[in-house]
Amino acid sequence: MRITIVGLGTVGLANLAVLAADGAHEMVGYDKDAGRLAALMSGSYHFDEPAIKDIFASHKPLLTADEGLALRESEAFFIAVGTPSLADGRSDLTAFEEALAAIARHASKDAFVVIRSTVPVGTAERAISFLRGASERHFSVISMPEFLAEGSSWSDENMPARLVVGGSEEGIAFIRMLYGRQIAAGTPLIGMSNSSAELAKYAANAFLAMKISYINELARFAERKGADIEDVALALGADPRIGPAMLRPGIGFGGSCLPKDLASFLSQARDAREPLLLPQAAQRINKEQPRFFLRKMENSLGGLANRRIAVLGLAYKGGIDDIRDSLSLGFASSLLRRKAEAVCYDPSPLARADFRKALPKAIIADTLNECLAGADAAVILTDDHAFANLSEEKLVSLMKGRWLFDSRNLFPKGSFVRIAYVPLGRAPSGKP
Ligand code: UGA
């Protein structure tokens, strides 16, 4: 079967790689971005995940920016284009609608259209009517949300915890056939209606967001009451009904998914006049959390003006290159607004380069040492391994001041004596 993946971002590339790895189908990758395609074809594309790069090298799917060539002969289309936020939080469906229109224009056979993009509840129903009016072909529209996290997109897509599939019996049977390897290995396929599958995606991301916001809110309470949030998180996570994932406190959730999906979910709730109070609270807490940590720094240092602050962690989480909707951007901007000197560092060169473009007023250090040199204080914003290995000796020898603020609680109690270590939701230690 000829299968085309439309949109080669994180989701599309992982989707393409997983189906290509089976070697059972003729796989085609289509993207309008000629620069990205050229980089993919020449092998110079920057892959976060080597497994995906290896599959591309060994299975060589056809990659093309030629719409007709990509779409004409295929019997299944996976749409994995971006659905970014509009200013009011709603999802921008321009790329999605363009993809549908292109499929309607070019498809030469009856086909399956599988929606991987995160789209508002009800979009598949509208896609079905659109395709019915725009083409003579029969399309079976399937909603199959992705649940992959950046940095583990290959394993999340190759062996997902579940396959959520909305559509007709015919559509669900098609996915059952295509993902036979995953199902045989134990991945459950949960079949449902298109709108339920669409809602399941928003419900999942909102739930993850609520877990993070809950632990962040608890961290503030723990701090006020002299409790230790890491012990509390351990106690919570040990209950199998709660589970330990997404209970690491910090300055909040960033990235291209959770904030955007939460905003879209809340806008859908407003439109439906069915307020979602818990997700709303998660969003509110997430806005407040960086301010809370900044105030903590400001109070400890007696103001931030003219302080040189080493900002550690620019990507939206540790171990990745992506700064999209990274809370570090807002955090560094707030430091600058308070007239501090923000010297920013991330182990990822790509994250550093993008940060430099996004926030030209910040100083970007090319090495960790350069970032720390002469700083009055350092602040850890992501859980990158590079920061968890920082030693007291290094900090003392490089920095001018003796303050380490750690929003990710990367160090066990008692790790520092000669500097003031200020974690989140637990007692500080050492002294400046
Ligand atoms: C998220 C979800 O985890 C995926 O399941 C989902 O498929 C994906 O969005 C998507 O919709 O495509 P991702 O944004 O890559 O994946 O990253 P996460 O690991 O969920 O982290 C999101 C943010 O929350 C990061 O800023 C991270 O630092 C923060 N976080 C995460 C915490 O502050 N505490 C935690 O315990 C976990």
Side-chain angles (χ1 to χ4, degrees):
M1 180 183 256
R2 190 180 199 262
I3 302 175
T4 300
I5 312 290
V6 182
L8 299 177
T10 309
V11 175
L13 286 173
N15 202 152
L16 180 57
V18 165
L19 294 179
D22 287 337
H25 304 285
E26 184 187 342
M27 296 303 305
V28 182
Y30 166 63
D31 200 296
K32 278 166 68 167
D33 183 338
R36 174 180 300 182
L37 269 176
L40 277 166
M41 287 192 268
S42 67
S44 64
Y45 185 81
H46 173 83
F47 278 95
D48 241 347
E49 294 183 49
I52 298 183
K53 189 179 181 132
D54 291 348
I55 300 225
F56 273 64
S58 54
H59 289 76
K60 298 197 172 44
L62 168 66
L63 301 171
T64 179
D66 180 332
E67 197 177 277
L69 175 65
L71 305 177
R72 209 169 299 121
E73 295 294 324
S74 290
E75 290 149 279
F77 304 96
F78 282 69
I79 304 182
V81 296
T83 52
S85 276
L86 293 166
D88 62 359
R90 287 189 168 79
S91 301
D92 181 351
L93 293 178
T94 311
F96 176 76
E97 285 163 0
E98 277 173 15
L100 270 188
I103 290 168
R105 250 192 327 273
H106 293 286
S108 56
K109 299 177 178 172
D110 292 351
F112 295 98
V113 174
V114 187
I115 305 175
R116 304 303 312 271
S117 304
T118 300
V119 290
V121 183
T123 302
E125 288 306 326
R126 282 194 295 281
I128 291 167
S129 334
F130 167 78
L131 289 169
R132 210 172 272 146
S135 166
E136 304 275 276
R137 304 281 155 222
H138 167 72
F139 294 102
S140 174
V141 176
I142 300 160
S143 303
M144 184 182 171
E146 51 82 19
F147 297 101
L148 49 91
E150 251 184 80
S152 57
S153 61
W154 164 254
S155 49
D156 291 348
E157 181 69 8
N158 189 46
M159 223 27 94
R162 78 287 209 196
L163 292 163
V164 171
V165 186
S168 63
E169 271 179 35
E170 174 199 27
I172 294 172
F174 167 67
I175 297 296
R176 201 179 288 286
M177 177 280 288
L178 206 57
Y179 286 79
R181 175 167 63 85
Q182 288 78 2
I183 292 167
T187 298
L189 183 150
I190 311 171
M192 58 188 76
S193 69
N194 289 92
S195 54
S196 302
E198 289 167 333
L199 176 54
K201 167 69 185 189
Y202 286 104
N205 271 5
F207 194 84
L208 301 179
M210 288 190 293
K211 265 187 113 174
I212 299 169
S213 280
Y214 185 49
I215 204 70
N216 282 339
E217 197 170 40
L218 286 177
R220 292 191 228 160
F221 189 76
E223 208 164 295
R224 182 65 61 100
K225 293 299 215 178
D228 187 312
I229 194 60
E230 294 299 328
D231 291 338
V232 176
L234 273 179
L236 280 173
D239 183 332
R241 293 169 304 176
I242 299 174
M246 313 305 270
L247 286 181
R248 284 175 291 112
I251 60 163
F253 52 83
S256 55
C257 302
L258 296 191
K260 158 183 93 74
D261 291 351
L262 193 57
S264 172
F265 199 20
L266 292 175
S267 76
Q268 293 172 55
R270 273 197 307 276
D271 290 347
R273 295 181 193 283
E274 202 60 67
L276 292 165
L277 299 180
L278 290 171
Q280 227 171 67
Q283 190 186 53
R284 224 172 113 190
I285 294 163
N286 206 50
K287 286 209 173 102
E288 175 53 25
Q289 191 69 1
R291 296 182 199 139
F292 169 79
F293 202 71
L294 194 72
R295 274 200 303 276
K296 223 164 117 85
M297 288 178 64
E298 207 163 13
N299 294 341
S300 308
L301 296 172
L304 290 163
N306 303 317
R307 305 285 182 155
R308 188 179 168 93
I309 311 289
V311 179
L312 308 180
L314 310 181
Y316 77 79
K317 62 179 175 182
I320 62 164
D321 302 309
D322 195 347
I323 68 154
R324 280 177 297 169
D325 273 316
S326 167
L327 296 178
S328 304
L329 280 165
F331 200 88
S333 305
S334 301
L335 286 172
L336 293 171
R337 269 200 304 279
R338 283 166 178 73
K339 306 272 180 274
E341 192 182 0
V343 187
C344 307
Y345 172 76
D346 194 284
S348 155
L350 197 62
R352 293 201 297 274
D354 287 344
F355 208 84
R356 185 174 276 128
K357 277 184 231 148
L359 200 62
K361 278 193 186 153
I363 301 167
I364 309 295
D366 286 327
T367 64
L368 183 53
N369 285 9
E370 195 184 313
C371 180
L372 293 169
D376 293 299
V379 56
I380 296 176
L381 298 182
T382 68
D383 52 359
D384 204 286
H385 291 307
F387 308 138
N389 295 326
L390 270 174
S391 69
E392 186 163 68
E393 285 65 40
K394 194 184 188 86
L395 293 165
V396 169
S397 67
L398 289 169
M399 286 169 54
K400 188 166 90 187
R402 297 275 183 274
W403 289 94
L404 176 61
F405 296 90
D406 178 9
S407 73
R408 305 314 309 250
N409 296 344
L410 298 184
F411 299 92
K413 277 181 207 161
S415 300
F416 299 96
V417 183
R418 287 184 291 149
I419 61 167
Y421 175 66
V422 186
L424 171 61
R426 54 196 333 207
S429 59
K431 52 179 185 322

mmCIF file of all heavy atoms in Angstrom, residues 4 84 104 141 181 189 201 220 229 266 296 357 366:
data_model
loop_
_atom_site.group_PDB
_atom_site.id
_atom_site.type_symbol
_atom_site.label_atom_id
_atom_site.label_comp_id
_atom_site.label_asym_id
_atom_site.label_seq_id
_atom_site.Cartn_x
_atom_site.Cartn_y
_atom_site.Cartn_z
ATOM 1 N N THR A 4 1.079 8.157 2.409
ATOM 2 C CA THR A 4 1.767 9.452 2.448
ATOM 3 C C THR A 4 1.576 10.117 3.804
ATOM 4 O O THR A 4 0.451 10.214 4.305
ATOM 5 C CB THR A 4 1.225 10.394 1.352
ATOM 6 O OG1 THR A 4 1.441 9.777 0.088
ATOM 7 C CG2 THR A 4 1.935 11.740 1.381
ATOM 8 N N PRO A 84 -0.959 25.527 15.329
ATOM 9 C CA PRO A 84 -0.503 26.458 16.371
ATOM 10 C C PRO A 84 -1.650 27.267 16.977
ATOM 11 O O PRO A 84 -2.771 27.231 16.465
ATOM 12 C CB PRO A 84 0.464 27.376 15.603
ATOM 13 C CG PRO A 84 0.086 27.259 14.176
ATOM 14 C CD PRO A 84 -0.520 25.905 13.980
ATOM 15 N N ALA A 104 -7.935 16.210 -1.350
ATOM 16 C CA ALA A 104 -9.144 16.150 -2.180
ATOM 17 C C ALA A 104 -8.800 16.416 -3.650
ATOM 18 O O ALA A 104 -9.354 15.791 -4.551
ATOM 19 C CB ALA A 104 -10.155 17.179 -1.685
ATOM 20 N N VAL A 141 -12.319 8.799 7.250
ATOM 21 C CA VAL A 141 -11.528 9.735 8.077
ATOM 22 C C VAL A 141 -11.352 9.160 9.488
ATOM 23 O O VAL A 141 -12.332 8.845 10.166
ATOM 24 C CB VAL A 141 -12.193 11.132 8.125
ATOM 25 C CG1 VAL A 141 -11.424 12.067 9.056
ATOM 26 C CG2 VAL A 141 -12.263 11.730 6.719
ATOM 27 N N ARG A 181 2.015 -4.956 14.455
ATOM 28 C CA ARG A 181 3.230 -5.258 15.233
ATOM 29 C C ARG A 181 3.092 -4.718 16.668
ATOM 30 O O ARG A 181 3.390 -5.412 17.638
ATOM 31 C CB ARG A 181 4.449 -4.626 14.542
ATOM 32 C CG ARG A 181 5.751 -4.744 15.285
ATOM 33 C CD ARG A 181 6.934 -4.371 14.395
ATOM 34 N NE ARG A 181 6.936 -2.990 13.933
ATOM 35 C CZ ARG A 181 7.425 -1.961 14.613
ATOM 36 N NH1 ARG A 181 7.935 -2.141 15.808
ATOM 37 N NH2 ARG A 181 7.412 -0.741 14.100
ATOM 38 N N LEU A 189 -5.462 -1.246 21.434
ATOM 39 C CA LEU A 189 -6.103 -0.294 20.524
ATOM 40 C C LEU A 189 -7.481 0.023 21.106
ATOM 41 O O LEU A 189 -8.276 -0.879 21.344
ATOM 42 C CB LEU A 189 -6.237 -0.879 19.117
ATOM 43 C CG LEU A 189 -6.822 0.069 18.063
ATOM 44 C CD1 LEU A 189 -6.264 -0.253 16.673
ATOM 45 C CD2 LEU A 189 -8.347 0.054 18.016
ATOM 46 N N LYS A 201 -7.361 13.332 23.310
ATOM 47 C CA LYS A 201 -6.048 13.988 23.222
ATOM 48 C C LYS A 201 -5.984 15.222 24.125
ATOM 49 O O LYS A 201 -5.045 15.401 24.910
ATOM 50 C CB LYS A 201 -5.780 14.376 21.759
ATOM 51 C CG LYS A 201 -4.629 15.321 21.551
ATOM 52 C CD LYS A 201 -3.299 14.670 21.853
ATOM 53 C CE LYS A 201 -2.167 15.666 21.755
ATOM 54 N NZ LYS A 201 -0.860 15.081 21.823
ATOM 55 N N ARG A 220 4.680 25.350 46.537
ATOM 56 C CA ARG A 220 4.608 26.651 47.216
ATOM 57 C C ARG A 220 4.060 26.480 48.626
ATOM 58 O O ARG A 220 4.551 27.090 49.570
ATOM 59 C CB ARG A 220 3.679 27.590 46.434
ATOM 60 C CG ARG A 220 4.252 27.975 45.099
ATOM 61 C CD ARG A 220 3.414 29.097 44.520
ATOM 62 N NE ARG A 220 3.079 28.813 43.139
ATOM 63 C CZ ARG A 220 2.089 29.373 42.461
ATOM 64 N NH1 ARG A 220 1.311 30.243 43.050
ATOM 65 N NH2 ARG A 220 1.872 29.085 41.203
ATOM 66 N N ILE A 229 8.707 19.120 49.273
ATOM 67 C CA ILE A 229 7.858 18.710 48.147
ATOM 68 C C ILE A 229 8.353 17.411 47.506
ATOM 69 O O ILE A 229 7.555 16.633 46.979
ATOM 70 C CB ILE A 229 7.737 19.840 47.086
ATOM 71 C CG1 ILE A 229 6.599 19.544 46.102
ATOM 72 C CG2 ILE A 229 9.030 20.039 46.309
ATOM 73 C CD1 ILE A 229 5.248 19.412 46.692
ATOM 74 N N LEU A 266 -9.438 25.199 26.346
ATOM 75 C CA LEU A 266 -10.228 26.189 27.087
ATOM 76 C C LEU A 266 -11.061 27.056 26.138
ATOM 77 O O LEU A 266 -12.185 27.430 26.458
ATOM 78 C CB LEU A 266 -9.313 27.052 27.960
ATOM 79 C CG LEU A 266 -8.668 26.292 29.130
ATOM 80 C CD1 LEU A 266 -7.677 27.167 29.883
ATOM 81 C CD2 LEU A 266 -9.728 25.763 30.095
ATOM 82 N N LYS A 296 11.241 34.788 44.588
ATOM 83 C CA LYS A 296 12.097 34.111 45.557
ATOM 84 C C LYS A 296 13.556 34.561 45.364
ATOM 85 O O LYS A 296 14.258 34.870 46.322
ATOM 86 C CB LYS A 296 12.024 32.604 45.241
ATOM 87 C CG LYS A 296 11.900 31.685 46.404
ATOM 88 C CD LYS A 296 11.446 30.325 45.849
ATOM 89 C CE LYS A 296 12.477 29.264 46.104
ATOM 90 N NZ LYS A 296 12.360 28.665 47.420
ATOM 91 N N LYS A 357 18.330 34.376 18.855
ATOM 92 C CA LYS A 357 17.452 35.075 17.904
ATOM 93 C C LYS A 357 16.198 35.602 18.614
ATOM 94 O O LYS A 357 15.735 36.701 18.343
ATOM 95 C CB LYS A 357 16.999 34.100 16.801
ATOM 96 C CG LYS A 357 18.030 33.945 15.692
ATOM 97 C CD LYS A 357 17.478 33.050 14.599
ATOM 98 C CE LYS A 357 18.478 31.945 14.282
ATOM 99 N NZ LYS A 357 17.907 30.693 13.860
ATOM 100 N N ASP A 366 28.587 30.220 25.368
ATOM 101 C CA ASP A 366 28.766 29.001 24.575
ATOM 102 C C ASP A 366 29.166 27.800 25.418
ATOM 103 O O ASP A 366 29.109 26.670 24.950
ATOM 104 C CB ASP A 366 29.793 29.234 23.460
ATOM 105 C CG ASP A 366 29.173 30.076 22.357
ATOM 106 O OD1 ASP A 366 27.949 29.937 22.134
ATOM 107 O OD2 ASP A 366 29.885 30.890 21.739
#
